[in-house]
Amino acid sequence: MTETEKEIIVTGNEKPRIGVFVCHCGVNIAGVIPIEDLVEYAKTLPDVVFATEYKFMCSDVGQTLIKEKIQEQNLNRVIVAACSPRMHEPTFRLVLKEAGLNQFLFEMANIREHSSWVHMKDPEGAYEIAKDHIRLAVNKARELVPLEVQTVEVDPSCLIIGGGIAGMNAALDLATEGYKVYLVEKTPTIGGHMAQLDKTFPTMDCSACILTPRMVDVARNENIELLTYSEVTDVTGYIGNFEVTILKKPHYVDQEKCTGCGVCIDHCPVSVGNEFDLGLATRKAIYIPFPQAVPGQYTIDMDSCIRCGICASPDVCEPEAIVYDDEPEEIKVKVGTIIVATGWDLYDPTELKQYGYGRYPNVITGLQMERLLSSFGPLLGKPVRPSDLKEPHSIAFLQCVGSRNFREGGNKYCSRVCCMYATKQARQYKEKHPDAEIYIFYMDIRAFGKGYEEFYESAGRNYGINYVRGRIAEVREGEDHKIIIRSEDTLLQQPIELEVDMFVLSCGLEPRADADKITSLLRIQRSGDGFFMEAHPKLRPVDTLTEGIFVAGVAQGPKDIPDAVAQAKGAASSAAALMAKGEVEVEPFFAVVSPERCIGCGMCVENCAYGAVELVEDRRFGTIASINQALCKGCGACAGNCRCSAINIKGFTAEQIFEMITGRF
Amino acid sequence: MSKVVFETEDEEEVKVDKDWKPRILAFLCNWCSYAGADLAGVSRIQYPATVRVVRVPCTGRINPFFILKALTDGWDGVVVSGCHPGDCHYISGNLVARRRFALLNELLEFFGIEPGRVNFMWASAAEGERFAVLIEKATERVKKLGPNKRFLKKW
């Protein structure tokens, strides 16, 4: 605000003086709709005392123009005909505030997203719609009344769902700033997928070396309450005041008593496939996912346990930590903000039958290759062929498996990491086996990050990795479980046939299979690709459409580690911004009851999902509905059902909506 | 200009211009369908220029009076669109609305309002394409019915 300007008092009783500001949005609107005509049309509408246009209303000049005209023309209602209110309503409300006008005496007419952009080939139709949207806005504006902003307190605590690299970084940032963090992870350890990786591109630093110290930091931090092997089962409340129910699954091992000595695993007779090693190695029924797991206490997998009782004997478990009748525990916490960092699942290539995954033993996924290459993996970093446990001499990688696929099934998007991880794995193998033959079949190589292009260049030049442009048409098994590949080298325009020892499918990333559960729990949205949707792709990349809930990491869309960490830090900083202030302004759109109309039927009580309505006895009006404004979210389920029209929603009153409906021509 | 003739239940001939664009009023919930319509815009998906949008917080806010008023006031069609059942931003507002509109549909039929004038649908914030398709379909239905004249006094 430049200087204190005169305040315009609006009571709602004076004659409306409406100003209409039409935005060109460069050519976005002006390229389709004749702006001059629109301004002239606006001037003909009743109570419009002023109308003008400008190239970019949201710019500094545009905002100043609105401010000046409010003062000069004594406007008491303002309409901006431009983009979606979801984009710039807050911007323009602030302009009104700075001009001394109540910020809720503002209405937007959406003539971009709902007109010029969707009716580009029908300019006349777009013009008609734009005119109508302005008229509807003017009609509503006439009925606008000033409202007071409400503030709610923001609890200085954050729930983070998912303990991967994104969730951990967000947790550490928030904890360092002094906020209480509840970090909920559904598996018995934090670390996420990054713990499964051996080295990271393009720096080739060991994943565990950068990850495990962070895991320990998380566990050690006083402000972080680590809830592993737990799941969020219910979330109620709203920004600043979420009530979260968390289910702690039973470990069947007393986590306080267990010292993590590991004697039990030597004695447990049950061996099952280890999820962490993607079935390439086994674990016992009592286990920790991997040796560096945090926390380091053991868990019994009751689906596999035969309850032989060996581990429970005091000779085996000295601290007597085994509890076979362990029960799930439910805890309730109150948090001010929530960060969703639930990560990803690997695309399952079984459905792409032509590549033979699941049929031929020597066809594996990229993540399995990662475990084979890992120095703390089942083979201590010396990959072998699954069929005969011999070191492969030749390996072929196929890119874009389940990604960038518009025909065969799988996903349409690019998973962003596969080009680089295949290159990295190929280089790793070549480092130890310089004679090996490596082929990477690709569509395009996307080496977009910092240092990635150099990394890729060097792979071809210095390591002799063969990049072949072309999709693979056919894969079959030859003698000795070798894989025979038929493809076309589209650069040489020649068909090729190749026999390799091992075939690696560079599978893409997918939304979590249970992502739906999170969407309905938190009432956030997913975009077309299934990942959680950000509030704005460019300007609000870590916010969800639900206030107070943020998203980080691959949960929002495929990304590599640096990007996931950057987004996690962004989400943490956005959550901290809310909590640092301690309170947040919420739109004062609440339900209000007209007691003289209310007959006390109680329909509203039944329809309210928040328990905000109750029937009370009033001395003058008898039984009437009463709204608890602290609980009311302004959805209007009560008002929509009120047969007496006794309930109204501020900001969306029946009068305002009726005006929009009736002022048709 | 070519003319297409439609017959209504009243056996009255309604002459509809092929290029006639119905005026449809759409009530869109703020969290799903309004955002979905925005996404259609951002993705530049083209659909017929027939809908005027009224933003409401939730489909639960929509009082049946609004829809009746729109019809008696001469809008050719009404579209109501909200979050998918189960995905409501306000927990259950769209379910309340669904129950209400199931009843309203019967009332509208009793009033003699042609089925197809009032269209209830769901479109999420991610379904810009679906929103456009649904608007296309609603437009087709209303177009077939011709202008909304049941509430017009014949002199």
Side-chain angles (χ1 to χ4, degrees):
Chain A
M1 190 160 176
T2 45
E3 60 203 70
T4 319
E5 314 197 23
K6 67 170 177 177
E7 199 175 329
I8 305 168
I9 310 289
V10 179
T11 58
N13 293 327
E14 55 281 274
K15 195 168 165 34
R17 291 180 60 80
I18 303 173
V20 179
F21 298 84
V22 185
C23 179
H24 293 232
C25 195
V27 291
N28 283 308
I29 298 170
V32 180
I33 300 168
I35 303 286
E36 293 288 338
D37 296 356
L38 215 49
V39 171
E40 287 313 309
Y41 170 76
K43 283 180 181 162
T44 65
L45 296 170
D47 297 323
V48 173
V49 294
F50 179 78
T52 190
E53 34 86 29
Y54 182 66
K55 216 149 190 75
F56 294 103
M57 258 333 154
C58 55
S59 68
D60 193 32
V61 182
Q63 294 189 26
T64 312
L65 173 76
I66 299 174
K67 258 184 267 181
E68 278 171 13
K69 293 300 168 190
I70 291 173
Q71 298 280 331
E72 183 191 301
Q73 301 283 333
N74 239 330
L75 303 176
N76 57 20
R77 307 282 192 284
V78 174
I79 287 160
V80 174
C83 51
S84 169
R86 300 171 52 81
M87 179 92 188
H88 275 316
E89 196 173 48
T91 315
F92 293 119
R93 278 192 185 156
L94 205 63
V95 173
L96 264 70
K97 203 172 155 186
E98 286 178 4
L101 195 58
N102 184 285
Q103 56 175 312
F104 296 100
L105 297 168
F106 171 76
E107 185 64 23
M108 258 185 118
N110 186 343
I111 59 168
R112 193 179 75 173
E113 278 87 342
H114 293 184
S115 178
S116 71
W117 274 354
V118 286
H119 310 311
M120 288 167 137
K121 290 173 193 146
D122 179 8
E124 276 170 39
Y127 178 53
E128 285 302 311
I129 300 282
K131 271 173 27 181
D132 282 4
H133 276 174
I134 290 180
R135 196 183 50 248
L136 258 59
V138 168
N139 288 346
K140 184 174 179 184
R142 223 173 273 130
E143 294 293 323
L144 291 173
V145 288
L147 300 173
E148 283 310 310
V149 178
Q150 305 280 320
T151 55
V152 293
E153 278 185 28
V154 180
D155 201 277
S157 54
C158 181
L159 167 76
I160 298 178
I161 309 176
I165 187 63
M168 282 173 14
N169 268 292
L172 283 169
D173 276 12
L174 288 171
T176 312
E177 285 165 57
Y179 301 108
K180 176 85 188 159
V181 175
Y182 299 93
L183 182 58
V184 176
E185 165 60 44
K186 69 175 174 182
T187 68
T189 176
I190 53 172
H193 277 108
M194 192 177 161
Q196 290 174 300
L197 311 182
D198 181 41
K199 289 189 175 177
T200 55
F201 56 80
T203 46
M204 285 299 215
D205 41 357
C206 126
S207 178
C209 312
I210 47 180
L211 181 76
T212 48
R214 296 243 101 182
M215 290 162 66
V216 178
D217 288 348
V218 168
R220 203 189 284 142
N221 198 304
E222 292 177 341
N223 284 336
I224 301 178
E225 190 165 334
L226 188 53
L227 298 159
T228 48
Y229 212 38
S230 302
E231 276 176 45
V232 176
T233 53
D234 193 33
V235 178
T236 59
Y238 49 94
I239 179 170
N241 304 273
F242 293 104
E243 306 266 347
V244 183
T245 313
I246 299 161
L247 182 82
K248 293 170 87 172
K249 293 180 269 190
H251 286 271
Y252 304 101
V253 177
D254 190 325
Q255 299 293 294
E256 302 283 313
K257 286 185 187 164
C258 176
T259 59
C261 66
V263 177
C264 48
I265 55 168
D266 296 337
H267 290 84
C268 180
V270 185
S271 286
V272 289
N274 190 355
E275 299 85 355
F276 185 79
D277 284 325
L278 306 159
L280 294 168
T282 59
R283 64 160 169 83
K284 294 298 179 68
I286 185 164
Y287 72 107
I288 51 171
F290 57 100
Q292 298 78 20
V294 171
Q297 281 76 25
Y298 281 70
T299 300
I300 299 179
D301 163 17
M302 266 302 162
D303 293 335
S304 319
C305 176
I306 54 168
R307 291 184 179 242
C308 61
I310 294 174
C311 57
S313 94
D315 300 342
V316 175
C317 187
E318 243 176 84
E320 300 187 339
I322 309 293
V323 196
Y324 284 125
D325 54 0
D326 200 1
E327 294 279 333
E329 189 193 342
E330 224 179 52
I331 57 166
K332 281 186 195 294
V333 296
K334 191 183 167 201
V335 294
T337 52
I338 297 176
I339 295 175
V340 185
T342 47
W344 50 278
D345 283 338
L346 191 75
Y347 172 75
D348 179 0
T350 319
E351 66 169 334
L352 298 177
K353 293 204 164 54
Q354 67 271 39
Y355 301 137
Y357 181 75
R359 270 191 298 159
Y360 309 139
N362 293 333
V363 180
I364 62 171
T365 67
L367 200 57
Q368 282 174 325
M369 185 63 181
E370 198 66 41
R371 291 311 299 147
L372 292 180
L373 284 165
S374 171
S375 53
F376 65 104
L379 296 159
L380 304 174
K382 297 194 177 72
V384 293
R385 304 202 311 164
S387 67
D388 54 8
L389 305 182
K390 279 189 195 147
E391 283 190 349
H393 172 67
S394 51
I395 304 176
F397 291 81
L398 174 62
Q399 299 309 109
C400 301
V401 177
S403 307
R404 302 180 64 199
N405 200 332
F406 283 76
R407 285 169 301 165
E408 297 163 318
N411 302 307
K412 292 179 180 161
Y413 52 83
C414 166
S415 291
R416 306 207 345 158
V417 291
C418 325
C419 286
M420 296 316 291
Y421 81 58
T423 299
K424 183 210 70 164
Q425 290 175 350
R427 273 179 60 155
Q428 271 185 286
Y429 196 73
K430 269 290 224 186
E431 271 172 14
K432 288 184 186 157
H433 307 82
D435 302 336
E437 288 170 44
I438 311 267
Y439 303 90
I440 297 182
F441 289 86
Y442 69 99
M443 289 156 69
D444 328 87
I445 290 292
R446 298 189 165 179
F448 54 86
K450 191 173 178 174
Y452 291 8
E453 182 64 27
E454 296 87 326
F455 185 76
Y456 155 61
E457 270 296 311
S458 157
R461 196 160 7 95
N462 302 337
Y463 289 80
I465 294 161
N466 304 302
Y467 284 87
V468 186
R469 201 184 80 178
R471 294 301 289 171
I472 286 176
E474 193 190 343
V475 171
R476 59 200 162 85
E477 202 168 50
E479 239 173 79
D480 192 23
H481 290 296
K482 288 197 173 195
I483 303 295
I484 300 164
I485 291 166
R486 275 194 175 179
S487 174
E488 186 196 349
D489 187 326
T490 53
L491 291 177
L492 298 176
Q493 298 188 344
Q494 267 178 3
I496 43 176
E497 190 172 284
L498 202 67
E499 196 179 57
V500 292
D501 294 329
M502 199 154 91
F503 185 40
V504 182
L505 302 176
S506 295
C507 297
L509 317 183
E510 275 194 329
R512 284 278 186 196
D514 56 0
D516 250 348
K517 240 165 72 181
I518 299 285
T519 31
S520 21
L521 267 180
L522 300 176
R523 289 175 285 285
I524 58 176
Q525 315 273 338
R526 291 166 75 181
S527 29
D529 54 13
F531 292 100
F532 296 126
M533 193 164 146
E534 63 284 352
H536 190 277
K538 297 186 180 67
L539 301 177
R540 296 178 68 198
V542 300
D543 308 55
T544 65
L545 288 174
T546 305
E547 300 257 353
I549 302 183
F550 304 91
V551 63
V554 182
Q556 181 262 336
K559 46 181 74 69
D560 51 21
I561 295 166
D563 284 1
V565 172
Q567 201 185 19
K569 286 179 165 286
S573 139
S574 292
L578 276 178
M579 297 190 285
K581 211 176 168 200
E583 57 176 32
V584 62
E585 288 187 357
V586 290
E587 292 181 326
F589 299 158
F590 302 116
V592 280
V593 179
S594 313
E596 68 282 1
R597 279 185 167 180
C598 178
I599 58 161
C601 68
M603 274 297 265
C604 43
V605 180
E606 280 174 43
N607 280 342
C608 183
Y610 301 96
V613 197
E614 55 177 357
L615 291 180
V616 294
E617 289 302 321
D618 187 272
R619 194 169 50 84
R620 283 187 300 159
F621 298 107
T623 309
I624 53 161
S626 162
I627 314 277
N628 180 346
Q629 284 208 345
L631 297 176
C632 178
K633 301 284 159 306
C635 71
C638 51
N641 247 34
C642 186
R643 67 180 89 142
C644 306
S645 301
I647 306 188
N648 231 335
I649 305 295
K650 284 184 183 173
F652 295 96
T653 66
E655 294 76 16
Q656 289 163 359
I657 295 173
F658 273 131
E659 276 300 312
M660 292 176 94
I661 298 167
T662 53
R664 184 185 157 198
F665 304 115
Chain B
M1 217 175 275
S2 60
K3 303 273 177 179
V4 184
V5 179
F6 287 106
E7 295 212 336
T8 68
E9 287 163 26
D10 301 339
E11 307 272 316
E12 171 202 357
E13 274 196 354
V14 182
K15 286 186 181 162
V16 182
D17 188 333
K18 213 178 182 181
D19 296 329
W20 173 68
K21 269 191 210 142
R23 287 168 177 262
I24 298 173
L25 192 64
F27 293 98
L28 306 183
C29 88
N30 185 37
W31 304 98
C32 291
S33 295
Y34 197 93
D38 278 1
L39 181 63
V42 173
S43 324
R44 311 293 197 279
I45 301 167
Q46 306 294 305
Y47 57 82
T50 52
V51 280
R52 283 75 173 158
V53 178
V54 175
R55 185 163 66 127
V56 289
C58 173
T59 43
R61 170 69 188 102
I62 302 162
N63 196 305
F65 285 142
F66 298 168
I67 295 163
L68 294 173
K69 189 71 188 167
L71 291 169
T72 56
D73 223 70
W75 287 92
D76 297 315
V78 175
V79 161
V80 173
S81 182
C83 310
H84 286 273
D87 287 349
C88 181
H89 184 80
Y90 300 103
I91 303 174
S92 59
N94 60 353
L95 302 181
V96 171
R98 185 168 64 173
R99 290 202 291 275
R100 191 184 298 151
F101 297 140
L103 281 175
L104 179 64
N105 254 343
E106 290 185 17
L107 181 73
L108 291 175
E109 213 181 318
F110 172 77
F111 276 178
I113 295 178
E114 312 92 320
R117 279 231 191 267
V118 181
N119 296 277
F120 301 107
M121 58 198 221
W122 321 110
S124 80
E127 294 174 330
E129 212 166 330
R130 177 182 156 90
F131 179 82
V133 170
L134 290 172
I135 292 299
E136 248 168 58
K137 281 186 184 162
T139 304
E140 274 316 301
R141 275 197 286 271
V142 176
K143 246 183 160 171
K144 269 189 192 154
L145 295 170
N148 172 20
K149 285 188 173 159
R150 293 273 164 99
F151 295 99
L152 273 190
K153 185 164 171 62
K154 289 179 197 124
W155 295 96

